[in-house]
Amino acid sequence: QVQLVESGGGLVQAGGSLRLSCAASGTFFSINSMGWYRQSPGKQRELVAHITSGGLTTYADSVKGRFTISRDNAKNTMYLQMNSLKPEDTAVYYCNADVRSFARGDVNYWGKGTLVTVSS
């Protein structure tokens, strides 16, 4: 079984910064693409940023130039550096990963989420 655990959320003032982490644990062969999603009350979950195993990145237009996604394959960890935060960035942020294991093949996993609150 694979677990994704997010950390780094919290309360920050508008204009501030936070760094989220997502650590993968368990028994697996490799982690392919990974991504950060977020969901605000009353809204659908949306993709924030995505990174391939080779390091290619894509971002939602709303966060381009402010957020940076990265990963450390040796540590099975993904990060999201969030700068110039806005109140509209307030949401629960979820980690998502495509993981390959010998036992189960390719499976998509979700973390439980970490809350980011940006005050105005």
Side-chain angles (χ1 to χ4, degrees):
Q1 187 68 11
V2 175
Q3 289 186 329
L4 302 177
V5 179
E6 302 96 337
S7 61
L11 174 64
V12 64
Q13 288 187 332
S17 298
L18 283 176
R19 188 192 194 208
L20 304 184
S21 299
C22 169
S25 63
T27 302
F28 52 88
F29 177 68
S30 65
I31 300 176
N32 300 320
S33 62
M34 303 182 78
W36 288 100
Y37 289 74
R38 67 186 181 187
Q39 188 167 20
S40 305
K43 295 186 178 181
Q44 289 188 333
R45 190 173 297 188
E46 62 175 357
L47 176 66
V48 175
H50 177 270
I51 185 167
T52 67
S53 57
L56 295 177
T57 60
T58 56
Y59 296 92
D61 288 343
S62 60
V63 306
K64 282 182 181 177
R66 300 188 298 122
F67 291 10
T68 302
I69 189 172
S70 61
R71 61 190 287 175
D72 184 334
N73 292 330
K75 295 182 179 179
N76 295 319
T77 301
M78 174 178 65
Y79 306 97
L80 185 68
Q81 178 66 44
M82 305 186 294
N83 298 329
S84 302
L85 282 161
K86 303 175 181 180
E88 50 263 44
D89 294 318
T90 295
V92 178
Y93 283 71
Y94 296 92
C95 171
N96 179 268
D98 290 322
V99 180
R100 175 169 293 176
S101 67
F102 291 112
R104 304 186 66 186
D106 294 330
V107 178
N108 186 260
Y109 291 93
W110 288 94
K112 293 183 178 180
T114 185
L115 177 62
V116 172
T117 303
V118 184
S119 64
S120 57

